[in-house]
Amino acid sequence: MPLIASCHCGATRIELPQPPAHAKECNCSYCSRTGAVWGYYGPGEMHFLSQQDEKTYSASDGMNQHHFCGQCGMQTWGDSPDWASVYNNDGTPKPGYTQGSMPTERTYAVNLRLIDELDWSAIAVEKVDGRASW
């Protein structure tokens, strides 16, 4: 059953094919300030119903792109290199990678706090140490 993530004013609305099986809460200098809990989706899985006045912010020369509503300011979604394919949640490199390795694929994340009546009990939320790892 599809889910709808919506900013506070409704200008940004994103349809998702299903709830994610797991989510991540990052403590990096950006994510910790937004309060977002991220659910990840592959290319083409998110369907944008509305993106009125959407704004994008990046503190990394466009590598990590944070999208938010230009009307109500809600952090809505993001796209970034797929860090989880290269690094563990504690920031250490996965086998076959070294510190400083860059992912080759991108991933797309939706702020799950924007989904009304989401069954949080069905989603495992992992803590990610982004402050120490990027």
Side-chain angles (χ1 to χ4, degrees):
M1 174 174 157
L3 299 172
I4 304 294
S6 177
C7 66
H8 194 259
C9 72
T12 299
R13 293 174 38 86
I14 306 166
E15 183 179 78
L16 307 168
Q18 73 276 329
H22 67 279
K24 296 187 178 186
E25 187 172 12
C26 177
N27 70 349
C28 77
S29 63
Y30 186 83
C31 292
S32 64
R33 286 171 171 82
T34 70
V37 174
W38 300 109
Y40 291 87
Y41 295 88
E45 287 188 291
M46 297 168 29
H47 177 68
F48 293 92
L49 304 174
S50 175
Q51 289 178 282
Q52 298 173 15
D53 200 27
E54 182 179 84
K55 305 291 184 195
T56 303
Y57 170 75
S58 179
S60 56
D61 294 324
M63 181 172 45
N64 299 304
Q65 296 183 12
H66 303 280
H67 302 269
F68 62 96
C69 176
Q71 294 180 44
C72 68
M74 293 277 114
Q75 172 72 47
T76 52
W77 68 286
D79 66 285
S80 66
D82 186 2
W83 298 109
S85 68
V86 177
Y87 295 96
N88 297 305
N89 287 342
D90 65 358
T92 59
K94 290 186 174 183
Y97 295 97
T98 59
Q99 197 65 38
S101 293
M102 285 295 296
T104 57
E105 302 292 324
R106 291 189 73 78
T107 191
Y108 304 88
V110 172
N111 182 356
L112 296 179
R113 295 196 188 276
L114 304 183
I115 301 172
D116 289 334
E117 300 179 24
L118 181 65
D119 181 5
W120 286 96
S121 68
I123 301 170
V125 179
E126 302 172 70
K127 302 287 186 184
V128 176
D129 190 3
R131 194 169 296 257
S133 55
W134 48 76

